[in-house]
Amino acid sequence: MSFRAWYAVHKWTSLVSTLFLLMLCVTGLPLIFSHEIAHLTGASVEPPALPAGHAGQANIDAIVADAQARRPNDLPQFLVAEADEPELVYVRMADRIDSEGLTAFYTYDARTGAFLSEYPLGQGFMDLMLRLHTDMYLGLGGTLFLGFTGLLLAASIVSGIYVYGPYMKKLRFGTVRRDRIARLKWLDQHNLLGMVTLVWLLVVGLTGTINALNRPIFAAWQATELAALAAPYRERPAVTGALAADAALRAARAAHPDKSLSFMAYPGNGFATPQHFVAFMNGNTPLTSKLLSIVMIDARTADIVASAEMPWYVSTLMLSQPLHFGDYGGMALKLLWALLDVLSIVVLWSGLVLWWKRRKVTAEQKLASLRGVPIAVAE
């Protein structure tokens, strides 16, 4: 491709995506620290200290019964756990077992069964940031559009490398011409910070695109692998009445003693079958804690009827989600992610400023200026 073509790709992919990418960087900054902010604001709670010598786990059925009593017209959809907080267990409630939305999200002490808190759904600053970052309040269409901007970002970065190449022939890498006109200083700073954040922007852009495919990816898994597991039981009637979630969870843990519960779907949910619980288990190492194995448990007998690993495309999604927010290396990586996020905001904003100031300059004039040929540009 010619310089003119690379310049056009860089210009238009940047212009189309920059405003949305700025929004994503600004909203993504607090989301990097979502866990810490949730605890600071009281949206999430710390597990209480127990007397020395206390051991054991609460009965899950008693926990679910308490959640059911709090919302008698709703149904439990999922039991949820966090690998880094084994003392807590969460119950997700909805108006229907197969509903995509939820009506309540309760936190319980997994050791005593005590109710601890109800997460404030659809409220507060963090909920606003999350919705803007994931779908701009536009549902799946908004999510897919933001995923597309991640691809535009990748095209902008690759073309930007080629456009930046001629500068490397004239200037030492990292040079900022502070003694020249303001526009050149802005350009040098934009190029320098763009190169510094290049790899990070590619990572978060591509992982953001993968994350935007969350629903289609799980829909594909439900239509293929889960449907195949459920096929032998298609003629059996759906289970009804009280369900022994505690026995099902104990069976899943016994089958995978080296793993922890991520979440368990109730029968009739889109992540389970009408006759089975499906427990999603993750490992106990930094890498395997992001990957899922599934255990299908008969809801009547608590017998395990199938176990399987998630397919590669679901594993790719599960690995990309924490990487997108720097949730692999503790606080140190989160701070690095935050710094790179701020630098990226500067890159995006300076790119807008440069376009506004030089929107009448052609690609040929820009190339001529890089070769040292003077051009006349209006301020």
Side-chain angles (χ1 to χ4, degrees), residues 146-152 204-214 324:
L146 291 177
F148 177 66
T149 64
L151 296 179
L152 291 180
V204 297
L206 293 177
T207 55
T209 297
I210 295 172
N211 292 343
L213 299 175
N214 184 306
H324 186 70

Side-chain angles (χ1 to χ4, degrees), residues 286-310:
L287 178 62
T288 60
S289 66
K290 313 303 180 184
L291 301 174
L292 295 176
S293 302
I294 66 169
V295 185
M296 195 161 74
I297 309 112
D298 191 303
R300 294 182 177 88
T301 65
D303 293 332
I304 294 176
V305 299
S307 294
E309 300 297 321
M310 281 299 202

Side-chain angles (χ1 to χ4, degrees), residues 105-367:
F105 196 74
Y106 295 132
T107 305
Y108 289 87
D109 190 319
R111 303 159 299 178
T112 66
F115 173 79
L116 298 179
S117 70
E118 178 179 359
Y119 190 85
L121 298 173
Q123 303 175 30
F125 172 75
M126 291 303 293
D127 183 79
L128 173 64
M129 294 295 100
L130 181 62
R131 288 298 306 273
L132 288 174
H133 194 83
T134 54
D135 65 5
M136 300 185 296
Y137 289 89
L138 296 175
L140 180 60
T143 299
L144 295 177
F145 174 78
L146 291 177
F148 177 66
T149 64
L151 296 179
L152 291 180
L153 172 63
S156 174
I157 291 172
V158 172
S159 58
I161 294 173
Y162 190 90
V163 170
Y164 184 58
Y167 285 94
M168 299 298 292
K169 298 177 181 178
K170 292 185 58 181
L171 302 171
R172 187 172 59 184
F173 176 77
T175 298
V176 177
R177 292 167 288 182
R178 302 182 185 279
D179 57 338
R180 304 289 295 276
I181 60 176
R183 187 170 57 248
L184 281 178
K185 184 173 72 172
W186 269 93
L187 178 63
D188 290 341
Q189 290 175 339
H190 174 80
N191 291 333
L192 173 60
L193 293 179
M195 296 303 291
V196 168
T197 58
L198 181 149
V199 174
W200 182 81
L201 278 169
L202 270 176
V203 168
V204 297
L206 293 177
T207 55
T209 297
I210 295 172
N211 292 343
L213 299 175
N214 184 306
R215 287 170 62 181
I217 285 173
F218 271 107
W221 172 77
Q222 290 166 327
T224 54
E225 280 83 355
L226 181 59
L229 290 174
Y233 311 95
R234 189 171 298 144
E235 302 304 322
R236 292 177 57 182
V239 295
T240 57
L243 301 175
D246 187 80
L249 181 55
R250 291 181 186 276
R253 285 172 169 163
H256 292 279
D258 58 334
K259 296 185 177 183
S260 303
L261 177 71
S262 177
F263 64 97
M264 185 168 77
Y266 267 66
N269 185 275
F271 285 81
T273 81
Q275 303 86 15
H276 303 89
F277 290 98
V278 174
F280 295 76
M281 313 294 289
N282 48 27
N284 295 316
T285 68
L287 178 62
T288 60
S289 66
K290 313 303 180 184
L291 301 174
L292 295 176
S293 302
I294 66 169
V295 185
M296 195 161 74
I297 309 112
D298 191 303
R300 294 182 177 88
T301 65
D303 293 332
I304 294 176
V305 299
S307 294
E309 300 297 321
M310 281 299 202
W312 66 269
Y313 53 88
V314 176
S315 296
T316 301
L317 171 67
M318 301 311 296
L319 289 172
S320 72
Q321 287 178 339
L323 184 59
H324 186 70
F325 292 107
D327 194 18
Y328 268 108
M331 183 55 67
L333 187 60
K334 289 186 177 185
L335 291 173
L336 175 61
W337 246 234
L339 173 61
L340 292 169
D341 190 296
V342 171
L343 293 178
S344 298
I345 291 173
V346 175
V347 172
L348 294 167
W349 179 252
S350 61
L352 282 177
V353 172
L354 286 167
W355 169 78
W356 182 255
K357 290 186 175 182
R358 302 197 66 180
R359 59 194 185 280
K360 295 183 180 179
V361 178
T362 65
E364 289 83 356
Q365 289 174 318
K366 183 174 179 65
L367 183 58

Side-chain angles (χ1 to χ4, degrees), residues 22-156:
L22 266 174
M23 181 274 292
L24 290 172
C25 285
V26 171
T27 57
L29 189 57
L31 291 176
I32 295 172
F33 304 102
S34 59
H35 182 80
E36 291 77 12
I37 293 174
H39 281 275
L40 183 65
T41 59
S44 295
V45 297
E46 296 288 345
L50 295 180
H54 185 281
Q57 295 287 314
N59 185 283
I60 294 297
D61 293 332
I63 289 176
V64 173
D66 181 85
Q68 186 80 71
R70 295 175 185 275
R71 297 194 72 89
N73 295 324
D74 293 341
L75 296 172
Q77 280 189 318
F78 297 98
L79 293 174
V80 183
E82 296 285 351
D84 57 348
E85 290 183 327
E87 304 88 352
L88 301 177
V89 64
Y90 308 88
V91 181
R92 169 173 161 152
M93 306 290 292
D95 57 352
R96 300 190 320 274
I97 191 65
D98 58 348
S99 174
E100 292 189 3
L102 66 161
T103 56
F105 196 74
Y106 295 132
T107 305
Y108 289 87
D109 190 319
R111 303 159 299 178
T112 66
F115 173 79
L116 298 179
S117 70
E118 178 179 359
Y119 190 85
L121 298 173
Q123 303 175 30
F125 172 75
M126 291 303 293
D127 183 79
L128 173 64
M129 294 295 100
L130 181 62
R131 288 298 306 273
L132 288 174
H133 194 83
T134 54
D135 65 5
M136 300 185 296
Y137 289 89
L138 296 175
L140 180 60
T143 299
L144 295 177
F145 174 78
L146 291 177
F148 177 66
T149 64
L151 296 179
L152 291 180
L153 172 63
S156 174

